[in-house]
Structure formats: structure tokens, C-alpha cells
Amino acid sequence: MLAVMALLGCKSQQQSSASSSTSENATAASAVEFDGNNAYQLVKTQCDFGPRVPGTPAHAKCAEWIEQQLQQYCDSTVVQEAQVTTFDNKTLKIKNLIGSFNPSTTDRILLLAHWDCRPWADNDPDPAKQREPVMGANDAASGVAVLIELARLMKDKKPNVGVDLLFVDAEDWGENDNEDSWALGTQYWAKNPHVEGYSPRFGILLDMVGAKGAKFSKEIMSIQYAPSVVNEVWDMAQRSGYSSYFDNNPGGAITDDHIVVNKMGIQCIDIIDMRTGSDTGFFEGWHTTGDTLDKIDATVLKVVGQTVANVIYSY
């Protein structure tokens, strides 16, 4: 993942309170109530496996766990297994996992997040740690957690539209200034979609959606490719009471999984925490060994999850 002002690969245990209300109460019209504390625990579960770097036992255990969650909640589950070649000529065995609701419905929405971790903490302030793997509590366990909590809600209350949850692998094994080296799992899925001729209304990518102090501005490439979807999601966030988290102003431009999806002809936006005032353009701990559970705020998970849920149930 590449940003205009910073290079991005995809970008403790004190839990913030995120019960049924936050400092800004969600709209009373919400069809379901997203639980940020549940999502926080799902982040913790992933971190307990260790860094989910492709080819490691932690990666294999997490893949099995995600598949179990999808089988528990979704109407149907697909696991894509493939081999991809990295920029440094390594062959990775990867897994994309897809859980679907109302699979026979043609009117569909795609939600996606990457679930792998960066194999090296190249942004760590300690040079001795820059070859260590990243734990990935925010990048990318947060997005995975939101999708799984949404799956639990959709099992209890089916949406009117079809919804596909896509967990993509090998996003974060990329090289700076080499755009095509990122999002390898999504690139594979784009060439081999789980349903032939797959064509949802739109897609929403969740990337780094759980850190303390998060602010979600309108990502530039999302505006370029899918302006109506950006407006729909940000308008819903405003109506849901989350204007202090979802900023109506444009943010940076990111090369992320959503670019691959847009090039398939599917309008897809990126909800991503970008911080122009920081040294990296992202949250503290980005691409460091400090991307750990203590950086996560259950209230932020709640805000993002509730906003996406309200979009889904508006159809």
C-alpha cells in the first residue's frame, strides 16, 4: 500500500469502553447494534496467535480460526488457496476466505479486509527491530474483527441484500515504490473471483480501523473511483452521530486493496485512518513492533462497525 505522503504496506490490555453507546450515540434507527467490545476481543484473539505472516504457524492458525467464524455465521463459505510470488522472489502459499449471506441474491455488497501481517517492522524507530514481524493489531486485525462482528449480527438479523465478506491474504508483503508488489491476495481474487461474473453494488475496504485517536477522512482514490459510495458512507456516519470520527474533507491517496477491486469494474472505497500530522501519515505504531493491542480503542471499532452496519441495513 502506498500513500502520497507516506509509504504504507497496509498499512495493554486496557480496553476502552464501547458499550451500546459512545460519546456520540448512534442513531436510534439502527437495525442492529454493533458491539465494539466484542470486536476488541476479536482483535485480541488474532494477536494471541502472534504475527500472521504468511508461511508461519500463526498465519495457519489464524486462517483456520477465520474459516471457523465464517462457517459459524455465514450462509456459505469459500476458501481460496493459491501460490503467489513476492517482489523478493519468495513463493507464498496464501488463503483468501469468503463468507456470504443470501448467496442466491443478485443485489450484493462486498466488504473486505486483509488479514496478514507485515513480515518486517521497517518503520520501527529501533533499527535492531526493523527485521522483526509486525503484530498487526490495527494493521490488519482491526478490519478483520469488524467484519467478523458484522457476520455475527447478520446471522441474527439477515440483511435484505446479499453481503460477501472477503478476507484477503498477502497484502502487506510489499516493497516501497513498487505498487504491484502489494495486495497479492486481492490481485489473485480479482483474476479468480469466488463467483463467476461477480458484480456487487459496491465494495467497502476496512484498513486500520481500530486505533486510538482515529480520524477517517475521504481517501482520494476512493473519491476518484467511487464518489457516490464515499458520500453514502460518510453521510451515514454523520446521521449515525459520528461526525467527529468521519471527516468530510479529502485525505491522502492510498494504493490499497480497493484499487485492485476498482480496476475489476467494482466501485470500492477505503475506510482508513490517515493522519497528516504524524511523521508517517498514519497511527503511532504503523509498521513497527508497537502495532499491538494497547493501540486499539473499542469505541473506534464500534464507530466503524456501526456505520457499515447502518449502510448495509439501509437497503
Side-chain angles (χ1 to χ4, degrees):
M1 181 194 305
L2 301 172
V4 164
M5 299 185 66
L7 295 168
L8 173 59
C10 167
K11 320 73 18 219
S12 106
Q13 306 279 105
Q14 183 173 359
Q15 179 174 351
S16 300
S17 175
S19 59
S20 60
S21 63
T22 64
S23 59
E24 299 169 296
N25 291 326
T27 173
S30 297
V32 294
E33 192 69 28
F34 187 94
D35 192 323
N37 290 325
N38 282 352
Y40 181 95
Q41 291 301 320
L42 293 169
V43 174
K44 182 179 184 301
T45 296
Q46 293 170 78
C47 292
D48 286 346
F49 291 126
R52 283 81 62 210
V53 174
T56 65
H59 182 267
K61 290 176 183 176
C62 190
E64 182 179 1
W65 174 76
I66 293 173
E67 184 177 0
Q68 289 171 349
Q69 304 308 301
L70 299 184
Q71 289 174 341
Q72 177 181 356
Y73 297 129
C74 299
D75 294 332
S76 64
T77 304
V78 174
V79 178
Q80 286 187 333
E81 297 189 54
Q83 289 189 348
V84 297
T85 303
T86 66
F87 74 92
D88 50 354
N89 293 318
K90 289 185 170 56
T91 299
L92 301 182
K93 292 183 178 180
I94 68 166
K95 283 187 178 182
N96 294 330
L97 304 103
I98 305 101
S100 296
F101 292 88
N102 303 327
S104 63
T105 302
T106 57
D107 188 9
R108 312 198 64 76
I109 294 172
L110 172 67
L111 307 177
L112 68 155
H114 83 87
W115 66 274
D116 62 301
C117 293
R118 188 152 177 80
W120 46 81
D122 47 326
N123 198 53
D124 202 283
D126 183 352
K129 295 182 177 179
Q130 290 178 357
R131 300 308 297 177
E132 295 181 15
V134 174
M135 178 60 76
N138 195 34
D139 183 13
S142 62
V144 171
V146 170
L147 293 190
I148 292 176
E149 176 61 11
L150 286 171
R152 184 186 69 81
L153 296 176
M154 287 188 283
K155 179 177 175 61
D156 291 339
K157 183 178 178 61
K158 286 290 182 65
N160 293 324
V161 294
V163 178
D164 301 294
L165 307 179
L166 171 60
F167 299 81
V168 290
D169 201 355
E171 190 276 341
D172 231 343
W173 198 306
E175 179 185 40
N176 295 337
D177 299 321
N178 183 351
E179 184 174 311
D180 292 336
S181 66
W182 307 97
L184 299 181
T186 307
Q187 290 185 48
Y188 178 85
W189 175 81
K191 296 174 183 175
N192 305 275
H194 63 289
V195 173
E196 186 176 356
Y198 183 66
S199 182
R201 279 178 178 259
F202 57 81
I204 300 174
L205 170 64
L206 304 180
D207 195 355
M208 298 189 286
V209 293
K212 296 172 181 176
K215 176 81 74 171
F216 303 101
S217 54
K218 295 179 175 179
E219 191 270 329
I220 293 294
M221 301 308 293
S222 300
I223 295 173
Q224 175 179 316
Y225 280 111
S228 63
V229 183
V230 171
N231 290 336
E232 178 177 351
V233 173
W234 262 252
D235 287 349
M236 180 60 77
Q238 304 297 313
R239 296 199 303 274
S240 300
Y242 302 135
S243 58
S244 65
Y245 292 89
F246 280 78
D247 182 358
N248 272 320
N249 294 310
I254 305 294
T255 297
D256 201 350
D257 294 290
H258 69 308
I259 301 298
V260 179
V261 177
N262 276 293
K263 288 180 178 179
M264 293 174 65
I266 299 170
Q267 287 193 330
C268 187
I269 70 167
D270 195 357
I271 300 178
I272 183 168
D273 177 14
M274 295 180 288
R275 307 189 188 189
T276 56
S278 73
D279 291 339
T280 63
F282 304 102
F283 73 103
E284 180 188 359
W286 171 74
H287 284 190
T288 75
T289 56
D291 185 3
T292 46
L293 190 63
D294 60 295
K295 303 299 188 296
I296 300 299
D297 186 342
T299 297
V300 175
L301 296 169
K302 156 76 175 179
V303 165
V304 175
Q306 189 67 60
T307 297
V308 175
N310 289 350
V311 170
I312 293 169
Y313 287 95
S314 70
Y315 288 91

